């Protein structure tokens, strides 16, 4: 089965991102495909490269990056949601004349159409968050 | 609106003239403007956007509307449904300027231009909040709980905001 995943909450504050990650791992482990993980609302905070969690805690962002490296999973942040919350890739940093970019490795920033496209192409969309 | 008329309004909104072509369907049976091309497939799904929250206390309403407006470009069979406090998003003549918030309710007026005309509200949610369809910014069809269950049952994808 081809899954699309939506993460609607930020890391640490809420379980949604952890559950989505474990769901993605389990789906891939069972031989399914994860077409895309789309991060929306506060979910875009999963893609910040500037989080420094305690050493004895999981790194939510690093885990997503590893998943992308291992399985080529497409990790997409909504551009409008990311911009208003301060998550920028290098192109957006330049375009908006900001001092730094902070998009973590393995993620990309794109339009909200990527969410709708995932819903159309995937056999099942699974949303995590309230 | 009574349950019977709500059901017939829902039935009319299902547009029987639109061919029921799903994943792997035959593109020749479709109007050119219908569906999203993915490789050799043209995919048309039923997408329902459910709005459940009041407009300005959280960002879900505003960011939900952004998905609907952008998503309209994908030529799918789209419906909107407002449940619970979500019906407050549609209240006409809102002025949230004292909150420093944008009156995004005006954006719902654009739905018609994007060919999104199947807009439903929960009759129970309206009644519980002392609202009527006449107080809303766009034309909607009020549905009872059974009809809402039926509407949800026939979707391919449900987005909830």
């Amino acid at each position: 089965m081809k899954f699309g995943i939506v993460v609607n909450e930020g890391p640490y504050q809420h379980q949604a991102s952890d559950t989505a990650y474990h769901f993605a791992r389990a789906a891939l482990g069972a031989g399914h495909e994860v077409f895309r993980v789309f991060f929306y609302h506060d979910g875009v905070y999963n893609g910040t490269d500037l989080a420094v969690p305690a050493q004895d805690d999981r790194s939510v962002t690093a885990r997503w990056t590893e998943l992308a490296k291992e399985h080529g999973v497409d990790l997409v942040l909504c551009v409008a949601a990311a911009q208003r919350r301060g998550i920028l890739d290098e192109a957006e940093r330049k375009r908006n004349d900001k001092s730094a970019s902070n998009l973590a490795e393995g993620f990309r920033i794109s339009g909200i159409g990527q969410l709708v496209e995932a819903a159309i192409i995937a056999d099942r969309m699974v949303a995590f968050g309230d | 609106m009574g349950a019977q008329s709500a059901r017939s309004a829902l039935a009319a909104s299902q547009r029987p003239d639109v061919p029921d072509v799903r994943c792997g369907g035959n593109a020749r049976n479709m109007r050119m403007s219908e569906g999203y091309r993915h490789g050799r497939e043209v995919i048309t799904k039923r997408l329902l956007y459910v709005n459940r929250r009041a407009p300005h206390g959280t960002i879900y309403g505003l960011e939900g509307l952004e998905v609907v407006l952008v998503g309209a470009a994908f030529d799918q069979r789209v419906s909107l449904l407002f449940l619970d406090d979500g019906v407050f998003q549609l209240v006409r003549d809102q002025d949230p300027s004292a909150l420093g918030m944008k009156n995004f309710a005006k954006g719902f007026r654009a739905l018609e231009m994007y060919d999104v005309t199947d807009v439903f509200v929960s009759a129970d949610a309206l009644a519980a909040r002392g609202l009527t369809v006449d107080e809303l910014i766009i034309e909607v069809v009020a549905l009872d709980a059974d009809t809402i269950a039926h509407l949800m049952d026939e979707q391919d994808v449900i987005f909830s905001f």
Side-chain angles (χ1 to χ4, degrees), chain A residues 9 40-41 80-81 84-85 112-113 115-117 119-122 130, chain B residues 36 38 43 45 53 59-60 63 66-67 70-71 74 76 157 159 161:
Chain A
E9 307 287 346
Y40 200 38
H41 307 309
R84 60 167 63 101
R85 291 170 179 85
I112 190 67
L115 169 62
V116 180
E117 188 197 52
I120 294 168
I121 290 170
D130 288 338
Chain B
Y36 178 69
H38 175 62
I43 307 172
K45 286 189 174 179
R53 295 174 172 94
I59 201 167
Y60 296 102
E63 290 193 330
E66 287 179 352
V67 180
V70 172
F74 287 84
Q76 303 295 299
V157 181
F159 292 99
F161 294 108

Side-chain angles (χ1 to χ4, degrees), chain A residues 3 12 17 20 38 42 47 57 62 66 79 103 118 126:
Chain A
F3 285 104
Y12 305 105
S17 171
F38 192 87
D42 276 0
D57 195 3
E66 282 164 27
V79 61
L103 183 69
V126 188

Side-chain angles (χ1 to χ4, degrees), chain B residues 44-85:
Chain B
T44 306
K45 286 189 174 179
R46 295 183 178 89
L47 309 182
L48 175 67
Y49 297 95
V50 181
N51 296 286
R52 298 176 289 128
R53 295 174 172 94
H56 306 297
T58 65
I59 201 167
Y60 296 102
L62 170 66
E63 290 193 330
L65 178 61
E66 287 179 352
V67 180
V68 177
L69 295 178
V70 172
F74 287 84
D75 294 324
Q76 303 295 299
R77 297 170 67 178
V78 171
S79 312
L80 264 70
L81 171 66
F82 294 81
L83 292 180
D84 305 333
D85 278 351

Side-chain angles (χ1 to χ4, degrees), chain B residues 18 64 122 128-129:
Chain B
V18 178
S122 157
R129 289 159 184 80

